[in-house]
């Protein structure tokens, strides 16, 4: 049997929610069933010591391995319920181990309150994250150097991912699978596990829908306009005037409501539209880039890679079968 392509650790500790552990484990197992032997995940239940872990629901489990020198491609931190100070004292080895893994390039995903381990490790200082709403005030007080995004379902900051609820955690897992395996496989799994038909067409809820979870009606109006006219040339001054704000106030309120600058939000809209066209049309990459609002392919490719970690061509190659790539127009 060939070696796994990716190693994933599901970190467990007293008070962890079984649903966030086994839900992720089964999702990656489902991905393995749909891929060749050289595109497999190895998933380890990882604990800080050899002691049994008492889950939130009362059951006891043992990890497959103990934290050590093994490097992982992705570490997922289960949602937790209980006395945070107590669990930190129980597992003093987790934060430094996590910081060491992150320094090696490992992606870290905190499911809801699981993100507190990344905060405790110091790898989120100066960055952005979200968490389950009941823990938000505690985390804001304990980690004031982190920009806690109360209104976003999912947040990514330099390879660290977080979510703020059960549905958001599943969307986050699908987003992570898309990064490793491509959008086609993630979309298929999304159709199988989700009763929300919107997810069939829009797996990138981490990129777009999460920015809509706020109560600023003026910013919602601005987002409505951007959603419709994202392909057009945009002057923030003009958009601010449309909703009765100064440019400075508009930018400040937009960032407060969404956690993102309006210019970056616009880039996300354009990239999402481009991703759909890359997977569903024969158009050249240049044509697609210009069609979503970019004047040249260089600017389009640069923005696309900054948001997806891959180029438009790589995205298309991952999504589309070989026969479709061979018959597509030259880019």
């Amino acid at each position: 049997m060939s070696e796994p392509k990716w190693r994933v650790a599901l970190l467990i500790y007293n008070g962890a929610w079984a649903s966030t552990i086994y839900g992720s484990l089964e999702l990656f197992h489902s991905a393995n069933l749909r891929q060749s032997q050289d595109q497999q995940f190895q998933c380890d239940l990882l604990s800080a010591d050899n002691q049994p872990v008492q889950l939130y629901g009362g059951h006891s489990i043992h990890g497959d391995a103990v934290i050590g020198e093994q490097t992982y491609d992705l570490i997922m931190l289960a949602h937790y319920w209980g006395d945070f100070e107590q669990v930190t004292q129980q597992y003093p080895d987790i934060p430094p181990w996590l910081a060491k893994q992150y320094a090696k390039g490992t992606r870290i995903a905190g499911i809801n309150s699981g993100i507190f381990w990344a905060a405790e490790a110091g790898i989120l200082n100066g960055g952005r994250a979200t968490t389950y709403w009941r823990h938000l005030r505690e985390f804001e007080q304990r980690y004031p150097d982190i920009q806690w995004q109360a209104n976003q379902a999912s947040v990514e900051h330099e390879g660290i991912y977080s979510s703020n609820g059960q549905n958001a955690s599943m969307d986050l897992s699908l987003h992570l699978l898309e990064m490793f395996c491509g959008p086609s496989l993630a979309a298929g799994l999304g159709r199988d596990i989700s009763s929300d038909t919107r997810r069939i067409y829009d797996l990138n809820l981490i990129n777009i829908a999460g920015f809509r979870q706020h109560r600023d009606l003026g910013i919602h109006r601005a987002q409505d306009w951007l959603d419709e006219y994202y392909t057009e040339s945009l002057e923030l001054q003009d958009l601010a005037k449309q909703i009765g704000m100064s440019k400075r106030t508009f930018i400040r309120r937009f960032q407060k409501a969404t956690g993102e600058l309006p210019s970056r939000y616009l880039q996300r809209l354009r990239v999402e539209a481009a991703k759909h066209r890359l997977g569903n049309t024969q158009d050249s990459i240049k044509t697609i880039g210009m069609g979503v609002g970019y004047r040249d392919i260089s600017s389009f490719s640069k923005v696309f890679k900054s948001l997806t970690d891959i180029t438009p061509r790589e995205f298309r190659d991952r999504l589309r079968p070989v026969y479709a790539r061979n018959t597509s127009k030259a880019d």
Side-chain angles (χ1 to χ4, degrees):
M1 183 174 179
S2 61
E3 289 292 317
K5 184 172 183 179
W6 301 290
R7 294 184 65 93
V8 177
L10 300 164
L11 189 63
I12 58 175
Y13 29 82
N14 289 338
W17 278 43
S19 59
T20 63
I21 297 169
Y22 292 114
S24 298
L25 187 66
E26 290 169 349
L27 190 64
F28 282 98
H29 177 67
S30 296
N32 279 346
L33 295 177
R34 301 178 183 218
Q35 299 190 112
S36 60
Q37 288 297 316
D38 61 347
Q39 298 287 311
Q40 298 283 294
F41 293 95
Q42 176 175 319
C43 297
D44 296 333
L45 287 181
L46 209 60
S47 57
D49 51 42
N50 289 311
Q51 299 302 310
V53 170
Q54 301 295 322
L55 299 177
Y56 169 76
H59 289 83
S60 176
I61 63 172
H62 281 85
D64 301 315
V66 175
I67 59 175
E69 296 302 315
Q70 172 64 50
T71 300
Y72 291 89
D73 298 289
L74 171 66
I75 295 173
M76 301 192 73
L77 310 168
H79 178 56
Y80 164 82
W81 195 269
D83 186 326
F84 173 66
E85 187 64 37
Q86 181 181 13
V87 80
T88 304
Q89 294 174 3
Q90 286 179 341
Y91 303 108
D93 294 335
I94 289 180
W97 172 79
L98 202 60
K100 187 175 180 180
Q101 290 282 321
Y102 182 65
K104 294 179 181 179
T106 301
R107 297 178 186 272
I108 309 294
I111 301 176
N112 308 338
S113 62
I115 195 64
F116 72 66
W117 287 115
E120 186 71 12
I123 58 178
L124 260 174
N125 289 344
R128 301 186 307 122
T130 190
T131 189
Y132 188 56
W133 66 272
R134 286 187 180 274
H135 301 279
L136 188 61
R137 184 180 297 274
E138 176 186 1
F139 283 15
E140 285 177 333
Q141 294 174 349
R142 189 176 182 103
Y143 306 108
D145 293 334
I146 298 172
Q147 301 173 47
W148 293 102
Q149 308 293 307
N151 298 318
Q152 273 189 242
S154 302
V155 174
E156 185 274 335
H157 174 78
E158 297 182 355
I160 302 174
Y161 304 81
S162 53
S163 60
N164 72 354
Q166 189 72 9
N167 289 337
S169 68
M170 183 55 67
D171 292 330
L172 174 59
S173 295
L174 287 170
H175 179 75
L176 293 168
L177 272 176
E178 179 178 336
M179 287 193 308
F180 285 107
C181 306
S184 181
L185 182 139
L189 287 174
R191 284 191 293 268
D192 288 349
I193 67 174
S194 176
S195 59
D196 182 352
T197 56
R198 175 184 55 180
R199 291 188 183 126
I200 294 175
Y201 306 103
D202 181 11
L203 274 174
N204 286 277
L205 301 180
I206 186 173
N207 291 334
I208 300 301
F211 294 97
R212 284 286 195 164
Q213 296 191 359
H214 60 81
R215 299 180 183 273
D216 191 323
L217 296 181
I219 299 306
H220 275 302
R221 291 201 306 273
Q223 288 177 287
D224 290 341
W225 192 94
L226 289 169
D227 288 350
E228 186 172 357
Y229 299 108
Y230 64 87
T231 63
E232 298 186 5
S233 179
L234 172 68
E235 293 292 340
L236 291 182
Q237 182 72 45
D238 296 336
L239 180 53
K241 285 183 179 179
Q242 286 189 38
I243 56 176
M245 300 180 194
S246 68
K247 179 180 177 181
R248 182 176 180 181
T249 298
F250 170 64
I251 293 174
R252 176 179 57 80
R253 280 178 55 176
F254 196 101
Q255 188 168 26
K256 181 180 180 181
T258 69
E260 193 72 280
L261 290 170
S263 57
R264 191 64 167 174
Y265 179 81
L266 176 60
Q267 289 177 338
R268 291 185 184 277
L269 288 175
R270 289 173 170 174
V271 167
E272 292 309 307
K275 288 165 74 172
H276 176 77
R277 297 181 193 184
L278 285 165
N280 294 282
T281 75
Q282 300 278 347
D283 295 340
S284 70
I285 290 174
K286 181 179 180 180
T287 298
I288 291 172
M290 294 181 68
V292 298
Y294 292 98
R295 294 182 179 179
D296 59 78
I297 191 173
S298 177
S299 298
F300 169 55
S301 296
K302 183 177 180 180
V303 170
F304 192 98
K305 188 169 184 178
S306 74
L307 289 172
T308 66
D309 292 331
I310 57 176
T311 66
R313 185 188 299 276
E314 290 169 336
F315 180 89
R316 170 169 274 176
D317 286 347
R318 288 186 184 184
L319 179 61
R320 307 180 71 188
V322 173
Y323 72 84
R325 297 202 300 267
N326 291 340
T327 59
S328 65
K329 295 180 180 180
D331 295 327

